[in-house]
Amino acid sequence: MGAAAIGIARQRNLFGVVLLSGIYSFLMATVLVVLDAVDVAMTEAAVGAGISTVLLLGAIHLAGGTESRPIHKPWLPLFVVVVTGGMLVYGTLGLPAFSDPQAPIHQHVAPSYLKEGPVRTGVPNVVTAVLASYRGFDTLGETTVVFTAGIGVIALLRRRKPRHKYPARADGDGGEGAK
Amino acid sequence: MSFAGHYSYFVTILLLMVGLFIVIARSSLIKKLVGLGLFQTAVYLLYIAPGKLIGGVAPIIGDAFEVYSNPLPHVLILTAIVVGVATLALGLALVVRIKEAYGSIEEEEILALDADDELRTRNRS
């Protein structure tokens, strides 16, 4: 996965970049399955590897496919990125180790959701129970975000030249398929 | 603290760094958006990885299982993925409009065109 990510950084043909990001998304989905996040993995495979790739390919088709050779030397951004990474590594040293049952994340409200969620909502999948039942309004707000983004995309792409071969893509609302 | 115990954090940080580097250093606007996506997936990993318990199963309750991984990060990240693709769609639409207006999606060329424009208006007045 790291190789795919660094490949994205080095590849200048944007078509290659899009393919690599699709591969990266599938690898990420696999990792998420291993981490027991099956719902997230399914969404990532459908949205990250599917819809995002389609959107990116459409954009490349409309906006052209190669990146010019960089003018600046990459040393300053590299320095900034390495300093940021170093600070983040320093920050993680105080965090609990991987899969530590005593970590605060497993002690706080999660056990009560796991115990009461299926009883109160009647849904055995706790992720679904929390998403649709406990946090139903949050999910409604999220749908509003996707709707607003779809309207934004249509508003931006509506004033196209009529001689263009392809009509405006109403692609922004593609995200709705995820839920 | 051991290296193995924090390995997931280090992978996350590596991906985060690559995404940040693409956003800062690469000139193509589409590639910047891909980098932003990379950064986002790193954040997913940052949330999901601490929720895993070794020996646990996915949080779908059944009689056969005792230990479940933490479901709450999964819920948050599901929302984040969907909002992320909405952002991506809007960003790509902006890129397409920029391409129509400037004829380029390279940051440097767009900045040069802008500077030219400004110089011309100043000379005229």
Side-chain angles (χ1 to χ4, degrees):
Chain A
M1 201 153 73
I6 291 166
I8 290 174
R10 296 195 58 86
Q11 175 71 262
R12 281 215 312 280
N13 182 354
L14 289 179
F15 188 68
V17 169
V18 172
L19 287 187
L20 275 174
S21 81
I23 293 171
Y24 170 84
S25 278
F26 263 120
L27 286 174
M28 177 58 89
T30 322
V31 170
L32 290 172
V33 169
V34 173
L35 291 173
D36 286 350
V38 283
D39 308 73
V40 184
M42 207 146 72
T43 314
E44 170 72 18
V47 170
I51 295 172
S52 295
T53 309
V54 172
L55 289 180
L56 285 166
L57 284 177
I60 285 180
H61 173 74
L62 290 173
T66 45
E67 183 186 32
S68 62
R69 194 169 281 280
I71 304 171
H72 307 295
K73 288 270 179 280
W75 301 123
L76 180 65
L78 203 62
F79 175 72
V80 172
V81 165
V82 168
V83 168
T84 314
M87 273 160 60
L88 285 170
V89 168
Y90 175 70
T92 55
L93 294 185
L95 289 177
F98 181 68
S99 181
D100 177 9
Q102 298 305 319
I105 187 171
H106 298 298
Q107 299 295 323
H108 194 47
V109 292
S112 67
Y113 274 115
L114 280 170
K115 205 162 72 206
E116 295 171 13
V119 182
R120 286 202 182 165
T121 62
V123 182
N125 186 340
V126 183
V127 175
T128 313
V130 174
L131 193 75
S133 188
Y134 287 100
R135 294 175 67 92
F137 274 111
D138 187 25
T139 308
L140 180 67
E142 172 196 337
T143 337
T144 316
V145 169
V146 175
F147 179 66
T148 316
I151 289 180
V153 170
I154 292 171
L156 280 170
L157 294 183
R158 198 171 40 117
R159 286 172 35 228
R160 304 187 58 74
K161 300 176 198 82
R163 64 183 166 78
H164 203 284
K165 214 164 34 171
Y166 295 91
R169 299 173 302 143
D171 50 14
D173 37 11
E176 280 155 9
K179 277 284 140 64
Chain B
M1 109 103 211
S2 67
F3 180 77
H6 285 63
Y7 181 64
S8 64
Y9 295 124
F10 297 150
V11 172
T12 306
I13 289 169
L14 176 74
L15 294 177
L16 231 118
M17 285 165 65
V18 175
L20 191 64
F21 178 77
I22 295 176
V23 173
I24 298 176
R26 294 304 175 206
S27 61
S28 163
L29 293 177
I30 290 184
K31 202 158 160 190
K32 272 180 199 289
L33 283 171
V34 174
L36 203 65
L38 216 68
F39 196 95
Q40 265 175 345
T41 43
V43 175
Y44 305 162
L45 208 58
L46 181 71
Y47 267 65
I48 302 272
K52 163 77 176 165
L53 282 174
I54 290 175
V57 294
I60 302 171
I61 306 295
D63 294 332
F65 306 110
E66 272 298 312
V67 185
Y68 301 100
S69 292
N70 196 326
L72 298 182
H74 303 180
V75 177
L76 298 178
I77 294 309
L78 272 179
T79 309
I81 290 180
V82 176
V83 172
V85 79
T87 329
L88 178 74
L90 201 60
L92 287 175
L94 276 173
V95 169
V96 171
R97 286 293 296 152
I98 288 171
K99 169 78 176 175
E100 283 174 1
Y102 287 84
S104 164
I105 54 166
E106 300 289 326
E107 193 187 9
E108 269 98 14
E109 291 173 18
I110 292 167
L111 289 178
L113 282 171
D114 265 352
D116 272 5
D117 236 23
E118 209 170 306
L119 209 64
R120 218 169 296 143
T121 37
R122 204 175 296 160
N123 286 346
R124 210 177 297 146
S125 60

